[in-house]
Amino acid sequence: MLPLSAAQRAELLPTLAGWAPCPPRDAVRKVFEFEDFGAAWSFMSRVALAAERMNHHPEWANVWNRVEVVLTTHDAGGLSMLDIELARCIDRHAAQAGARHH
């Protein structure tokens, strides 16, 4: 897997609503807020299954109704197309779960 080129970054990163750089790493981060712990956990379970199918796994943390997600591709040494695809997948699951992002 190759890291995103400068042209790919310029084109693709602005399409990821709410995802922000996570310096000093070459990664993106987004925080989701759900109605309660059960909704947050259900979201994480659905994302975990999708991530496993993609063989690309997020870094994340959960505190009650909040889930912080960081995406990077370790094998590529930074952001790759896998991160873009997984971010889009995560956003779809979050929208279905009624999440708000910060």
Side-chain angles (χ1 to χ4, degrees):
M1 181 61 48
L2 297 173
L4 294 176
S5 68
Q8 288 172 312
R9 288 168 187 274
E11 176 188 344
L12 297 170
L13 292 180
T15 69
L16 300 178
W19 290 90
C22 188
R25 301 174 61 196
D26 187 19
V28 290
R29 173 186 177 271
K30 189 170 183 177
V31 177
F32 299 91
E33 187 174 303
F34 298 87
E35 183 176 327
D36 56 24
F37 177 75
W41 193 264
S42 179
F43 160 78
M44 291 177 70
S45 295
R46 287 189 304 275
V47 169
L49 293 173
E52 187 64 18
R53 283 190 301 273
M54 293 174 70
N55 194 29
H56 189 56
H57 306 93
E59 299 174 19
W60 53 14
N62 165 244
V63 177
W64 191 62
N65 70 333
R66 293 172 51 102
V67 179
E68 175 186 359
V69 182
V70 174
L71 299 178
T72 190
T73 303
H74 300 284
D75 292 346
L79 290 170
S80 75
M81 281 306 296
L82 279 174
D83 300 304
I84 302 300
E85 292 167 12
L86 186 53
R88 289 177 178 156
C89 175
I90 289 169
D91 284 345
R92 284 191 302 274
H93 284 292
Q96 291 169 353
R100 297 176 301 280
H101 73 270
H102 294 264

